């Protein structure tokens, strides 16, 4: 049930358990595959992705609408999941709450996070009030 080249290493234990159980249910109950595009990232990799987005967009504020720096990223803490395909993400959006997996941002259909309570969905990563300067 895993997609080729998936790397589940580094995910927080609760995130790994939630994703594994949700993915198994999606497949066995509904025939839906859910693949992991990106899970845990170390701070160096997250910084590289953030810096590339700053370069691509031309500014830190624009980049933060898509990628957060390492000190704010759920991927670095092992709680962030980027999934595929879109049908798998739709299944997870409808059913992931049973496992503590929630879509967090309106502009990222692929990004889910493990949470112990349902979060308020934000328009983009930089919209969280505690992240504003």
């Amino acid at each position: 049930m895993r997609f080729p080249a998936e790397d589940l290493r580094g995910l927080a234990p609760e995130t790994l358990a939630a994703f594994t159980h949700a993915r198994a249910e999606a497949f066995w109950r509904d025939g839906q595959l859910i693949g992991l595009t990106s899970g845990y990232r170390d701070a160096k990799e997250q910084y590289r992705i953030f810096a590339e987005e700053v370069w691509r967009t031309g500014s830190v504020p624009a980049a933060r609408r898509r990628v957060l720096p390492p000190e704010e990223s759920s991927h670095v803490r092992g709680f962030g999941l980027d999934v595929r395909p879109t049908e798998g993400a739709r299944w997870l959006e409808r059913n992931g709450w049973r496992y503590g997996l929630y879509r967090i941002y309106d502009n990222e259909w692929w990004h889910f996070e493990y949470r112990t309570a349902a979060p308020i969905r934000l328009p983009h990563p930089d919209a969280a009030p505690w992240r504003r300067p």
Side-chain angles (χ1 to χ4, degrees), residues 5 21 29 31 59 81 103 112 116:
H21 288 113
R29 191 178 82 186
S59 74
L81 303 166
R103 181 172 163 201
F112 290 79
T116 57

Side-chain angles (χ1 to χ4, degrees), residues 8-21 77-79 99 101 114:
L8 302 175
R9 293 174 297 172
L11 290 175
E14 55 269 54
T15 306
L16 178 59
F19 181 64
T20 301
H21 288 113
R77 293 188 316 273
F79 297 116
Y99 303 94
L101 298 174
Y114 176 80

Side-chain angles (χ1 to χ4, degrees), residues 9-91:
R9 293 174 297 172
L11 290 175
E14 55 269 54
T15 306
L16 178 59
F19 181 64
T20 301
H21 288 113
R23 168 156 76 176
E25 180 180 331
F27 181 74
W28 292 111
R29 191 178 82 186
D30 299 318
Q32 180 59 59
L33 293 174
I34 302 175
L36 183 68
T37 302
S38 183
Y40 170 77
R41 299 180 197 137
D42 66 25
K44 184 177 177 181
E45 175 68 6
Q46 186 67 27
Y47 180 78
R48 184 190 64 74
I49 294 168
F50 179 69
E52 284 179 2
E53 190 67 11
V54 170
W55 181 85
R56 189 184 75 75
T57 62
S59 74
V60 169
R64 290 177 59 88
R65 294 177 67 88
R66 290 283 307 262
V67 180
L68 291 173
E71 60 274 8
E72 297 176 46
S73 173
S74 64
H75 287 282
V76 175
R77 293 188 316 273
F79 297 116
L81 303 166
D82 293 345
V83 302
R84 62 181 170 157
T86 55
E87 296 83 9
R90 283 189 206 115
W91 187 96

